[in-house]
Amino acid sequence: MKQVSTQRPRQRLPGALSLAMAVVLLSACTSAPMAPTSALNEAREAIATAEQAGARQFAGAELDEAQQKLMFAERSVSSEQMIEAERLAREAMIVAELASARTEAAKAVAINEEMRRSADALDEEMRRTGEQR
């Protein structure tokens, strides 16, 4: 009579589990990253905000740069270079925010200049009315 050994299947079980785990880990590592949808949307919103603030007039170069970076990010998504796409989208958002900041600063300078001119005009008017008395 032949005796059936039960040790062989038990010895194979750890090896099979290790192999299965390795396959799962490798497949997880090789899967392509997801498209950076939120980064792209944030860049689009930052560009739209800068445009609405008047960045075309006050920070046109920065606005153009942000739009170019966004375009390159979208191209990177199309060519499945998701890490590059996210980097470019983040850069586009930052440059658009810079355009907004420069626009607000330029507007503040213009307001301050207008206020200075108004104050000078009031001073001049007060001098004239004081001399007439």
Side-chain angles (χ1 to χ4, degrees):
M1 282 183 101
K2 265 189 170 180
Q3 196 174 24
V4 178
S5 173
T6 57
Q7 282 190 354
R8 283 192 156 219
R10 286 185 188 160
Q11 289 174 349
R12 290 182 190 168
L13 185 59
L17 283 175
S18 296
L19 180 61
M21 292 278 289
V23 168
V24 168
L25 288 174
L26 285 175
S27 66
C29 292
T30 59
S31 63
M34 298 289 291
T37 307
S38 64
L40 290 167
N41 288 337
E42 289 171 1
R44 287 183 194 106
E45 289 174 23
I47 290 170
T49 299
E51 287 175 332
Q52 291 171 353
R56 179 66 49 212
Q57 178 182 357
F58 297 103
E62 289 84 358
L63 185 59
D64 288 341
E65 182 181 352
Q67 289 172 327
Q68 275 189 323
K69 286 183 181 290
L70 178 60
M71 181 186 66
F72 290 140
E74 290 168 342
R75 285 184 187 169
S76 293
V77 168
S78 296
S79 60
E80 297 182 7
Q81 297 174 357
M82 301 309 171
I83 294 171
E84 179 73 3
E86 182 164 8
R87 182 186 64 79
L88 287 166
R90 297 274 179 226
E91 286 180 13
M93 181 190 70
I94 290 167
V95 175
E97 288 173 351
L98 173 63
S100 290
R102 287 212 170 139
T103 298
E104 294 306 315
K107 286 179 177 181
V109 167
I111 289 170
N112 286 337
E113 183 61 27
E114 180 61 31
M115 290 176 72
R116 187 192 59 75
R117 283 193 298 264
S118 295
D120 289 348
L122 282 172
D123 284 345
E124 183 64 30
E125 185 64 29
M126 288 172 55
R127 272 189 233 120
R128 271 190 263 151
T129 57
E131 291 173 1
Q132 291 176 359
R133 287 186 184 179

